Amino acid sequence: MSTQERKLHLNAFITGTGHHEAAWRYPASTPELGLDIRHYQKIAQIAERGLLDSLFVADGYSGRSSGKLEPFTQLAALAAVTEHIGLIATVGTTYYEPFHVARKFASLDHISNGRAGWNIVTTGTESTAYNFGLDAHPEHSLRYDYAEEFVELTKQLWDSWEDDAVKYDKAGGVQVDDSKVHEINFKGKYYSVKGPLNIPRPPQGYPVLVQAGSSEKGKELAARTAEVVFTAQQTLEEAQAFYSDVKSRLAKYGRTPDQLHILPGLSPIIADTEAEAREIEEELNGFINLDSAVKRLSERVGIDLSSYPLDGPLPIDELPGVDAINGRKGRYQLVVDLAVRENLTILELTHRLAGARGHITFTGTPIQLADLIERWFKNEGADGFNIMPQLYPSGLEAFVDKVVPELQNRGLFRTAYEGKTLRDHYGLARPANTRYRQSIEAGN
């Protein structure tokens, strides 16, 4: 497919007040709406007005937050007030059971008429273990082994219903053809599930499968399983290397590059002039709680930085190294590389990470942002972007009203939705029920 035929894919990563860690303190923010579903419904409708492919809610099982709704509940409520935009939820494979996940995503896909997506993570937060009866977080490599089997089992549960199993034959008195609903009798290394699922196959076959890990294990899971990748890179060169690496792994799994879309995170502050945007950025950074910011940075790099001078460099020689990290290995390496490449002090690094936790940040005008997006898109650094406004909802409104029209004028983005499902938006085929295709074709 030529660059001229390709179109950008854009996802909105939604959160209460914005992706800047101090957004809740910004004078125009309304953090008290963090648990108000009407707030998120408004955000979803703004994103749909901008014809974005999808919106995404993250999730976690530890920490303190005044605005972290459970994602399935939240997205079901957003489905009720939207018609086109996709609905992607993070659900971890380490602390869930496959049957639960298969049932919940099938339900969300039916509720939304085929707009569900699953962001597959292994959960990178050590403290999560303590909320699920464990004394320690499972080791990084083991979590990915679990994840591979988990995803395969979940697919089999979705496939336990053939597409035409539901009959609603009033005259014959048959609602479901039992011969087309199957036990899967899955027995793997980590899971054993009889099946079948207790809800018909999702409208999309499977929800769109998204993956967000950037470690070696994460990239391999993406190449094997994912259809969209959310990733974080700071430069076009890093993005190109990641893009080439992941796409080159697809062939061994019988897949082609257009079956996997790579969307780096992009966290903008947009204003009519660059000077106005810089003022917003400076004001936001002024609200950062430095003690908390240094604590979070310490957790990312694996050592306590509280005794180091803020105007001094990150102590690279004292860091544990990526192999010793049992959490988010890819993000650890990104932070260290950023500090070294730009010779940042600890204070400067906390400011750079405050906007989007390691995703690329941008401060400037709509035209400048469109230029960046076009450059990355046309030079094989991205198939689109995971948009993470540093302020919500104003940042998303600025993107939709001022950046999207510019991208459309350049022929880079759709001017109307062309399909009904999330798979349609991303140009992904509906997966056939391969588990039972032979019996169907044989007429059994």
Side-chain angles (χ1 to χ4, degrees):
M1 184 179 292
S2 70
T3 299
Q4 287 72 30
E5 294 172 322
R6 291 170 67 219
K7 288 288 190 287
L8 282 160
H9 296 291
L10 297 174
N11 174 81
F13 183 167
I14 68 173
T15 187
T17 56
H19 284 275
H20 194 286
E21 67 180 57
W24 72 276
R25 300 183 68 188
Y26 194 69
S29 293
T30 52
E32 60 271 20
L33 297 180
L35 298 175
D36 189 334
I37 192 60
R38 293 167 296 184
H39 173 67
Y40 297 101
Q41 289 174 330
K42 176 183 176 181
I43 290 173
Q45 290 169 334
I46 294 169
E48 186 167 80
R49 175 162 58 81
L51 305 176
L52 273 60
D53 297 67
S54 51
L55 53 83
F56 158 62
V57 296
D59 195 25
Y61 308 109
S62 61
R64 297 169 177 84
S65 173
S66 64
K68 182 72 75 173
L69 295 170
E70 190 281 318
F72 287 108
T73 309
Q74 182 177 3
L75 290 181
L78 301 189
V81 298
T82 56
E83 295 182 10
H84 303 284
I85 197 163
L87 307 164
I88 301 173
T90 291
V91 175
T93 56
T94 305
Y95 298 101
Y96 251 108
E97 287 294 326
F99 191 95
H100 285 138
V101 171
R103 183 188 186 196
K104 287 173 180 288
F105 271 114
S107 298
L108 181 60
D109 209 44
H110 282 288
I111 288 169
S112 64
N113 294 315
R115 295 187 281 139
W118 174 18
N119 180 39
I120 304 161
V121 301
T122 67
T123 304
T125 307
E126 291 275 352
S127 59
T128 301
Y130 311 137
N131 291 333
F132 289 86
L134 300 181
D135 295 327
H137 196 38
E139 188 271 330
H140 182 273
S141 181
L142 178 62
R143 296 201 309 271
Y144 275 96
D145 290 342
Y146 271 103
E148 289 185 7
E149 189 170 301
F150 190 113
V151 174
E152 174 57 31
L153 170 51
T154 305
K155 288 180 177 179
Q156 290 192 26
L157 284 167
W158 288 324
D159 284 344
S160 64
W161 288 64
E162 296 182 31
D163 287 318
D164 58 349
V166 179
K167 297 298 183 184
Y168 296 129
D169 177 1
K170 293 183 178 180
V174 177
Q175 291 192 56
V176 176
D177 184 342
D178 289 340
S179 70
K180 296 191 175 186
V181 181
H182 306 272
E183 295 179 359
I184 62 172
N185 294 307
F186 183 97
K187 293 188 181 299
K189 185 176 180 180
Y190 306 107
Y191 299 101
S192 178
V193 174
K194 181 179 181 180
L197 197 60
N198 62 345
I199 183 173
R201 196 167 190 251
Q204 295 185 103
Y206 308 152
V208 171
L209 301 178
V210 185
Q211 204 270 338
S214 296
S215 66
E216 278 301 307
K217 281 276 192 177
K219 289 185 283 191
E220 202 63 25
L221 180 63
R224 180 195 299 269
T225 300
E227 296 166 302
V228 176
V229 172
F230 292 153
T231 183
Q233 279 84 42
Q234 285 285 321
T235 68
L236 174 57
E237 292 72 25
E238 289 176 346
Q240 289 170 323
F242 180 88
Y243 187 97
S244 175
D245 183 0
V246 175
K247 297 259 184 176
S248 70
R249 301 174 189 234
L250 294 169
K252 63 184 174 184
Y253 298 112
R255 306 181 65 197
T256 56
D258 60 350
Q259 293 177 311
L260 177 65
H261 302 301
I262 296 177
L263 276 61
L266 173 57
S267 187
I269 297 174
I270 309 165
D272 290 337
T273 68
E274 186 174 347
E276 290 175 303
R278 294 290 175 196
E279 287 179 8
I280 296 172
E281 179 183 46
E282 290 176 9
E283 187 173 8
L284 277 168
N285 286 342
F287 290 122
I288 294 172
N289 182 316
L290 286 178
D291 289 340
S292 297
V294 171
K295 181 178 179 180
R296 282 189 291 272
L297 180 58
S298 299
E299 292 170 350
R300 287 198 180 280
V301 299
I303 65 169
D304 184 358
L305 298 171
S306 60
S307 63
Y308 292 84
L310 287 174
D311 59 355
L314 194 67
I316 300 298
D317 293 341
E318 300 177 37
L319 301 185
V322 68
D323 291 340
I325 299 297
N326 192 33
R328 298 180 175 94
K329 289 180 180 288
R331 195 59 55 86
Y332 166 88
Q333 195 63 58
L334 181 149
V335 170
V336 173
D337 290 347
L338 172 62
V340 172
R341 183 178 60 249
E342 300 190 19
N343 194 29
L344 300 176
T345 66
I346 291 174
L347 178 61
E348 290 169 335
L349 188 55
T350 61
H351 283 184
R352 287 292 297 274
L353 297 177
R357 307 170 302 283
H359 295 275
I360 185 172
T361 56
F362 168 88
T363 304
T365 69
I367 297 296
Q368 291 171 333
L369 181 54
D371 288 342
L372 182 153
I373 290 172
E374 182 173 16
R375 184 166 65 253
W376 282 46
F377 178 62
K378 287 189 173 181
N379 289 282
E380 296 189 334
D383 295 310
F385 287 89
N386 184 17
I387 305 300
M388 305 167 59
Q390 294 189 38
L391 288 169
Y392 260 119
S394 60
L396 182 61
E397 287 179 308
F399 184 85
V400 164
D401 293 338
K402 298 180 179 182
V403 181
V404 167
E406 180 62 27
L407 296 173
Q408 292 169 330
N409 290 339
R410 300 182 189 196
L412 299 175
F413 192 59
R414 67 172 63 89
T415 56
Y417 285 111
E418 298 172 359
K420 296 181 179 179
T421 70
L422 182 54
R423 290 188 168 276
D424 291 336
H425 303 340
Y426 279 103
L428 299 167
R430 183 182 189 272
N433 191 336
T434 56
R435 185 175 176 84
Y436 300 106
R437 181 185 295 166
Q438 291 180 343
S439 65
I440 294 171
E441 291 175 349
N444 296 329

